[in-house]
Amino acid sequence: MKKALNLLQRDVFRLHRDNLLLFLIAYPIAIAILARLVAPMVPIEHFVIYIAPPMIMFAPLSFGMVFGFNLIEEKEEQTWLLIRVVPLRVAAYFVYLVAVTALPAFALSLVTALLYGQPVANPGQFILMVFATALTAPLWALMLGVIAHNKVEGLALTKTISFITLAPGLAFILSPTWQVTVGWNPWYWSYLGLIKAFTSEAVLGELAIIMPGYPSFIFWLAPVILSLAAVVGLSRAWRQRVE
């Protein structure tokens, strides 16, 4: 535990000295407050429901970027080579990375949901979906850390690959048969699962979303499995580069 706390102290210190990283944490909160004020004015039926899931999904993306840029900085400074002698086993180091990104993302997602103020129809499903979505934080962090060589590349990469988070939009235009083409995307499952958590069956039938008829547990289990599988694969890639 002490070794993990030492790593946490190092990461918090790095966060404290970088205003960009602090902005990334505050960003989801500002967006949730702004959306609460503006969304009711948009003349689209159920618009406030459609953008409720992104209020949850922004927090893991922000925390993923924060720790992704931490990993990039370690690469730039060559301190990432210290993983060879880090006072934790390599596997434990990545468990630490998952925990230190996903748990704050989970908490921040609850805050942004509260600030946005959309009522939840299925609280149990909602908590499971927030947890599942929080696991995209370490996924995003490792994507940045493994692929980008410096912060400039990291910013460009964020803009380039952020389109994969738009996959849920296909649920508005494609039948469930064709939606399986994005079944590999955890953000697709997170969005639909959060929609189901925010709405009753009666309201769900009024939405423009073409919802697949899967059991509710699929919508939180799928992003959990996909995110953790990607984290394991990216962790191995990171380790191979270091070793």
Side-chain angles (χ1 to χ4, degrees):
M1 177 64 71
K2 183 178 179 180
K3 296 172 183 178
L5 289 175
N6 288 338
L7 287 175
L8 180 61
Q9 184 179 16
R10 179 205 64 178
D11 288 333
V12 170
F13 173 76
R14 182 171 288 158
L15 169 66
H16 182 264
R17 69 180 186 177
D18 194 322
N19 290 332
L20 172 61
L21 301 185
L22 293 174
F23 167 79
L24 288 174
I25 294 176
Y27 177 75
I29 294 175
I31 289 295
I33 295 173
L34 181 63
R36 179 170 184 164
L37 298 174
V38 174
M41 304 178 188
V42 177
I44 297 176
E45 188 175 13
H46 301 304
F47 183 76
V48 292
I49 296 176
Y50 295 145
I51 67 168
M55 298 303 107
I56 307 299
M57 298 162 71
F58 282 150
L61 289 174
S62 290
F63 263 100
M65 288 182 65
V66 166
F67 281 88
F69 281 117
N70 272 351
L71 292 175
I72 291 171
E73 185 172 338
E74 289 182 1
K75 187 184 295 187
E76 288 181 311
E77 297 175 351
Q78 294 298 302
T79 55
W80 69 326
L81 299 177
L82 292 176
I83 195 173
R84 295 174 178 172
V85 294
V86 71
L88 287 174
R89 290 181 301 171
V90 172
Y93 175 79
F94 287 109
V95 170
Y96 159 81
L97 178 64
V98 170
V100 83
T101 53
L103 292 179
F106 176 83
L108 184 58
S109 293
L110 295 179
V111 171
T112 55
L114 181 63
L115 291 172
Y116 183 63
Q118 176 64 26
V120 175
N122 303 289
Q125 176 79 1
F126 175 75
I127 293 297
L128 289 171
M129 288 310 309
V130 173
F131 170 76
T133 304
L135 290 175
T136 62
L139 166 57
W140 196 254
L142 282 166
M143 286 178 67
L144 291 175
V146 170
I147 300 174
H149 294 88
N150 52 61
K151 287 186 176 181
V152 174
E153 284 189 15
L155 288 171
L157 181 65
T158 296
K159 296 177 181 179
T160 302
I161 65 177
S162 60
F163 75 93
I164 66 176
T165 65
L166 303 178
L170 296 177
F172 289 86
I173 58 176
L174 296 182
S175 68
T177 301
W178 286 101
Q179 288 180 36
V180 297
T181 58
V182 290
W184 54 270
N185 189 313
W187 290 279
Y188 161 79
W189 296 103
S190 290
Y191 182 86
L192 294 186
L194 286 165
I195 285 288
K196 288 177 68 70
F198 277 116
T199 59
S200 63
E201 289 298 323
V203 175
L204 187 61
E206 300 175 0
L207 301 181
I209 296 174
I210 307 170
M211 183 71 67
Y214 303 125
S216 294
F217 75 89
I218 293 295
F219 291 93
W220 63 261
L221 183 60
V224 168
I225 293 174
L226 291 169
S227 295
L228 290 180
V231 165
V232 170
L234 290 166
S235 298
R236 288 176 177 173
W238 178 273
R239 181 176 180 177
Q240 288 172 358
R241 292 191 178 191
V242 172
E243 296 178 348

